[in-house]
Amino acid sequence: ALALGELAANIGDAIAGRSKKDALVGFAAAHREYSTDHPGRWASLQRRAGQAAVDTDAARRIVQVTDAVLIGYDIAGPDRTHATRIIGSALSGFLNLERSGSFAHSLPPAEQSWPELIDALDFLLTHWHNRGTARQKATR
């Protein structure tokens, strides 16, 4: 719950007054900074949360700040859950691989791949509502 609260506060500060890609950049940067500044607390966020943590104000705040980013992309309802999972998976995966040194063995450096990840997420979120059309074309 402590880590959730701290991360939610950092994200809130990073996305305040921003929308769409600017908010996504702030959201991602807050995650990256938190994983670097508080590695143990970051690690605690990488496992299943108990119900006591899920029921906290901190957990509700994480949902609120994540929703704030997605509202800028006009993603609502059940799609918001899917988008949240995709963003979380991409950011956590990248940050955990980076922290473990998995990117240290190849060029370009991970620092150059980070904006590529954000650009890819922005592209997905911007075109979220066109996914069905793309899937239909792929199955023809």
Side-chain angles (χ1 to χ4, degrees):
L2 172 67
L4 284 171
E6 290 175 341
L7 181 58
N10 292 354
I11 293 169
D13 290 345
I15 68 169
R18 299 167 120 186
S19 66
K20 294 193 176 188
K21 188 173 183 183
D22 287 340
L24 180 63
V25 167
F27 182 86
H31 279 81
R32 196 171 195 200
E33 289 167 15
Y34 194 79
S35 75
T36 301
D37 294 346
H38 305 286
R41 291 179 188 166
W42 173 258
S44 75
L45 296 171
Q46 304 309 305
R47 52 183 170 252
R48 185 179 178 148
Q51 194 61 44
V54 171
D55 292 337
T56 63
D57 288 339
R60 283 185 284 283
R61 183 71 178 128
I62 284 284
V63 171
Q64 290 171 339
V65 294
T66 304
D67 284 353
V69 173
L70 296 176
I71 287 168
Y73 287 99
D74 195 31
I75 299 174
D79 280 346
R80 206 177 289 162
T81 301
H82 300 307
T84 296
R85 289 174 179 166
I86 291 166
I87 293 168
S89 298
L91 295 179
S92 292
F94 187 99
L95 294 171
N96 289 332
L97 288 168
E98 183 178 43
R99 288 191 47 73
S100 70
S102 294
F103 298 148
H105 305 292
S106 62
L107 293 175
E111 192 61 38
Q112 289 180 19
S113 297
W114 181 252
E116 297 292 333
L117 174 65
I118 306 310
D119 286 348
L121 289 171
D122 175 63
F123 182 86
L124 169 67
L125 297 172
T126 299
H127 296 87
W128 187 268
H129 300 291
N130 299 328
R131 294 178 349 274
T133 304
R135 279 187 239 156
Q136 288 173 351
K137 288 180 183 177
T139 58
R140 290 183 192 167

